[in-house]
Amino acid sequence: MLTVEEREEIDAKLADYPNTQAVAIEAMLIIQRRQGWVSDEKLRDLSEILRLSVANLDGVATFYNLIRRRPVGRHVALVCDSVSCWIMGSDRMRDHLCSKLGTPIGGTTSDGQFTLLPIVCLGACDHAPAMMIDGTLHEDLNEQKIEEILTQYT
Amino acid sequence: MSLPEYERAGGYQGLRKALTMQPADVTELIKRSNLRGRGGAGFPTGSKWSFVPMGKDAPHPKYLVANADEMEPGTFKDRALMERDPHQLIEGMIVAAYAIEADIAYIFLRGEYEWPNQCLSKAIAEAKASNYLGRNILGSGYSLEIHLHASAGRYICGEETALLNALEGKRAHPRTKPPFPQVCGLWGKPTIVQNVETLCNVHHIVNKGPDWFRRLSLTEDGGTKLFGVSGKVKRPGLWELPMGTPLREILEDHAGGMRDGLRFRGLLPGGASTDFLVEEHLDTPMDYGNVQKVGSRLGTGTMVVLDDQTCPVGMVWNLEHFFAQESCGWCTPCWSGLAWTEKILLAMEQGRGSARDLETLTFQTKFLAPGNTFCALAPGAVEPLQSALKYFAEDFRRHIDEHRCPWR
Ligand SMILES: Cc1cc2nc3c(=O)[nH]c(=O)nc-3n(C[C@H](O)[C@H](O)[C@H](O)COP(=O)(O)O)c2cc1C
Ligand code: SF4
Ligand code: FES
């Protein structure tokens, strides 16, 4: 079941567009912002309010990088692997992060706290290497900084 | 910047002035200013607007879309504009929308840009409350709504026709042109898609005139430009400078030159999909025409610097990895060609390259050249590769001969 807040936020978006198809992507992101991912059940509920088939919504969902159809940990860290960050040593930062958390990129820690995902350039190239945790940008990463950041989330 | 701060700095004066003019005259001013699109391709903005059907018989609603997707690696200019001065974008959008008689505007914002999203949401609400937006703007009879749309992420969403499909809630495959979006865009209606930085110039031109704007530039292309530098320079950053500022000045005076102990080897002048420039190009004035003359593109104007301790083959592998991953899969040369290219470069980095690979890579740069694929993603993807093969040939050869990456 969609929650009341999800319904309200999606209804508000419907006013911005001429048809329901156009709201599909934002609606999935609205659900995801609260649940972390879009489950089959939520997708079915969404398909009813938008009057679009589940296959249509799933086809859209699988095209986009940011729509997740599988559960994630409590926090999601998006680690930039694009060119400026790469030059500034993002490989080393990624390895440090992975070994600190004990999970590879793409994985979730055993306590369910963190999921690590790769991301392309976050638009913070002048402060590379960068990563984003739950929408907050962390810039100029080094080993020490990564450890400080992790303590904020545990 | 909040609304009162923005107004104190002269904000919304351009809009007030535009509303006293005929829409077509606003477009004429933009044409005369020589403003060229800042999203990468550099198309003249005024000409683009003049293709939109105007007047009583024009189809409605017409749309204006701000392209705030910014997924090009190495590019970080639009984010800064939206975070620090969101009203500047909003004012530019209202003036541009007025010029093409648009009824509805969207900001197509990259999903990861959460802070810009909050800054823009607040600014839109402020603008509405002060009647710069909404019904009957400042009593002029003109009405406009701006909606903020968060994207779910794919590089191809930044391509203007793919963006239209994304806004319509579909998979973001590019569309065939013609018809051009100016005539048949969002939901089949006339639509202008314009980069954030481009739009941020529009109301200044109306306010201060096209001659003022042209004089800001050191060369033919009007105005100023946001230039950025990332990589191992002393002071990576972003600066607004006259269009045509020499590359050396940007690198040395503004970015502070290379970090101690490092030498400059080359740079991508405007994001991941531009050709490398090297030492011999350091005196190039940075504008559309002059960068093209030396074999590259101004692109987004945000440069990625390569130093002598970083492997050029590894750098190109990183770039092709991005493009292969972000290919939308619509046409075969691109999705299969880029995956192949990436694989070869990775093998080379890991010491498994052979002399024939160089031929294959060269073949790919021709095979994926403009005209052979459905959109500009693939041709853009091979720009850094083709120039790296030219300027860093020795580095590629060493990888093959030594069966390893010499930088590891
Ligand atoms: C693969 C691809 C990605 C693009 N991404 C962006 C982008 O993120 N932002 C942008 O403004 N233009 C992007 N463009 C260019 C747009 O297609 C279009 O030319 C631009 O938005 C027009 O605005 P302008 O005339 O103000 O530059 C991209 C083009 C391609 C081929
Ligand atoms: S060139 Fe690549 S990105 Fe463009 S349409 Fe073809 S597959 Fe899609
Ligand atoms: S390359 Fe990592 S933020 Fe731009």
Side-chain angles (χ1 to χ4, degrees):
Chain A
M1 275 281 283
L2 296 176
T3 64
V4 177
E5 295 88 54
E6 285 165 356
R7 259 319 282 258
E8 277 174 3
E9 218 181 311
I10 293 168
D11 285 343
K13 284 285 171 199
L14 281 167
D16 294 355
Y17 302 91
N19 61 46
T20 59
Q21 177 79 50
V23 179
I25 295 170
E26 283 186 313
M28 289 190 268
L29 289 176
I30 285 168
I31 293 168
Q32 184 167 292
R33 208 163 296 134
R34 294 195 169 74
Q35 317 288 331
W37 65 299
V38 183
S39 65
D40 288 348
E41 194 211 341
K42 293 276 182 190
L43 205 65
R44 227 173 306 121
D45 296 341
L46 190 59
S47 94
E48 271 166 35
I49 8 177
L50 300 184
R51 286 183 299 280
L52 300 168
S53 71
V54 171
N56 173 330
L57 289 177
D58 196 42
V60 171
T62 51
F63 184 86
Y64 292 96
N65 297 337
L66 288 185
I67 300 178
R68 299 188 278 265
R69 294 281 282 112
R70 268 183 292 170
V72 289
R74 197 157 309 132
H75 304 291
V76 177
L78 302 174
V79 185
C80 176
D81 61 9
S82 289
V83 65
S84 305
C85 287
W86 181 84
I87 290 174
M88 301 307 282
S90 60
D91 282 6
R92 241 185 28 248
M93 294 312 123
R94 177 203 57 206
D95 292 348
H96 188 72
L97 188 63
C98 289
S99 79
K100 278 278 146 198
L101 290 174
T103 175
I105 291 281
T108 300
T109 54
S110 51
D111 60 1
Q113 274 288 11
F114 267 104
T115 296
L116 299 183
L117 295 172
I119 192 80
V120 302
C121 179
L122 287 164
C125 325
D126 52 342
H127 292 284
M131 68 172 167
M132 182 175 260
I133 303 182
D134 306 337
T136 304
L137 198 57
H138 297 278
E139 304 177 313
D140 300 306
L141 296 177
N142 53 40
E143 273 93 349
Q144 191 198 337
K145 212 157 168 193
I146 286 178
E147 284 168 32
E148 285 167 18
I149 292 164
L150 288 182
T151 59
Q152 294 171 25
Y153 291 89
T154 44
Chain B
M1 220 189 254
S2 68
L3 181 58
E5 285 172 300
Y6 185 69
E7 285 170 327
R8 270 199 300 280
Y12 289 106
Q13 292 306 321
L15 172 64
R16 285 178 195 279
K17 196 157 165 196
L19 292 174
T20 66
M21 299 168 62
Q22 288 301 314
D25 295 337
V26 175
T27 300
E28 188 53 34
L29 282 188
I30 301 303
K31 260 192 186 166
R32 280 181 23 219
S33 74
N34 239 355
L35 172 65
R36 294 178 64 171
R38 309 296 199 232
F43 193 81
T45 303
S47 313
K48 183 151 134 185
W49 296 2
S50 61
F51 301 134
V52 176
M54 297 288 286
K56 276 201 304 295
D57 300 331
H60 280 273
K62 288 195 257 182
Y63 298 98
L64 173 86
V65 182
N67 190 344
D69 197 46
E70 193 157 73
M71 277 182 76
E72 175 98 0
T75 298
F76 52 98
K77 63 186 183 74
D78 297 339
R79 170 196 272 277
L81 286 170
M82 294 184 284
E83 287 178 354
R84 296 184 205 165
D85 203 358
H87 279 288
Q88 185 176 221
L89 171 61
I90 291 166
E91 185 179 0
M93 287 180 71
I94 305 168
V95 173
Y98 177 76
I100 60 162
E101 296 175 333
D103 311 87
I104 299 171
Y106 291 97
I107 301 175
F108 187 89
L109 182 68
R110 189 169 169 194
E112 292 89 342
Y113 278 11
E114 297 216 8
W115 180 236
N117 189 320
Q118 290 176 30
C119 299
L120 286 167
S121 301
K122 176 164 169 270
I124 290 172
E126 286 176 333
K128 250 188 175 154
S130 300
N131 193 221
Y132 295 126
L133 265 178
R135 298 204 62 76
N136 191 15
I137 295 172
L138 301 174
S140 65
Y142 176 64
S143 302
L144 180 76
E145 290 297 334
I146 296 184
H147 304 302
L148 188 53
H149 174 101
S151 167
R154 270 313 273 276
Y155 174 57
I156 192 64
C157 293
E159 198 278 339
E160 62 175 351
T161 60
L163 183 153
L164 300 177
N165 280 331
L167 253 181
E168 291 184 8
K170 303 170 186 159
R171 291 183 155 229
H173 297 299
R175 297 178 180 175
T176 321
K177 291 190 271 192
F180 288 90
Q182 291 94 312
V183 180
C184 177
L186 260 184
W187 298 291
K189 293 296 188 339
T191 305
I192 285 287
V193 179
Q194 208 84 60
N195 172 258
V196 168
E197 188 189 349
T198 314
L199 288 164
C200 287
N201 285 298
V202 163
H203 53 288
H204 296 293
I205 295 170
V206 172
N207 198 22
K208 301 206 171 127
D211 297 327
W212 166 84
F213 186 76
R214 292 177 75 134
R215 276 198 307 270
L216 293 176
S217 164
L218 301 174
T219 55
E220 245 167 65
D221 300 323
T224 57
K225 174 83 191 76
L226 283 182
F227 291 107
V229 179
S230 64
K232 291 186 179 161
V233 292
K234 287 210 180 89
R235 288 190 302 273
L238 189 65
W239 310 273
E240 183 181 354
L241 299 170
M243 185 67 90
T245 301
L247 182 50
R248 193 186 297 279
E249 184 184 322
I250 298 172
L251 271 188
E252 287 173 9
D253 297 355
H254 299 286
M258 301 304 292
R259 286 188 183 180
D260 292 334
L262 296 180
R263 276 196 45 226
F264 171 82
R265 282 210 73 193
L267 58 74
L268 304 173
S273 55
T274 54
D275 286 86
F276 276 95
L277 296 181
V278 293
E279 189 128 29
E280 65 192 83
H281 305 125
L282 285 179
D283 293 311
T284 309
M286 296 301 279
D287 68 7
Y288 297 96
N290 281 296
V291 178
Q292 198 161 8
K293 260 189 233 151
V294 294
S296 187
R297 291 189 305 119
L298 183 65
T300 60
T302 37
M303 307 160 199
V304 184
V305 174
L306 171 70
D307 56 272
D308 65 342
Q309 314 252 323
T310 302
C311 174
V313 178
M315 178 169 169
V316 177
W317 168 74
N318 178 283
L319 294 165
E320 298 311 322
H321 170 74
F322 164 81
F323 289 115
Q325 172 190 310
E326 292 299 324
S327 164
C328 84
W330 191 245
C331 57
T332 311
C334 173
W335 69 256
S336 122
L338 288 176
W340 190 11
T341 306
E342 186 210 342
K343 240 172 120 175
I344 294 175
L345 288 163
L346 180 61
M348 222 175 250
E349 259 300 270
Q350 295 176 337
R352 295 180 284 112
S354 76
R356 279 217 35 209
D357 289 343
L358 286 180
E359 282 165 46
T360 313
L361 289 176
T362 308
F363 166 77
Q364 294 292 15
T365 64
K366 303 206 165 94
F367 185 62
L368 296 173
N372 296 345
T373 59
F374 196 70
C375 86
L377 184 142
V382 293
E383 283 182 33
L385 174 61
Q386 71 185 10
S387 48
L389 287 168
K390 182 161 87 187
Y391 297 124
F392 310 122
E394 181 59 29
D395 302 278
F396 282 89
R397 231 171 284 119
R398 278 189 65 191
H399 277 76
I400 295 165
D401 296 345
E402 298 174 25
H403 299 290
R404 66 183 184 106
C405 171
W407 276 269
R408 276 184 223 244

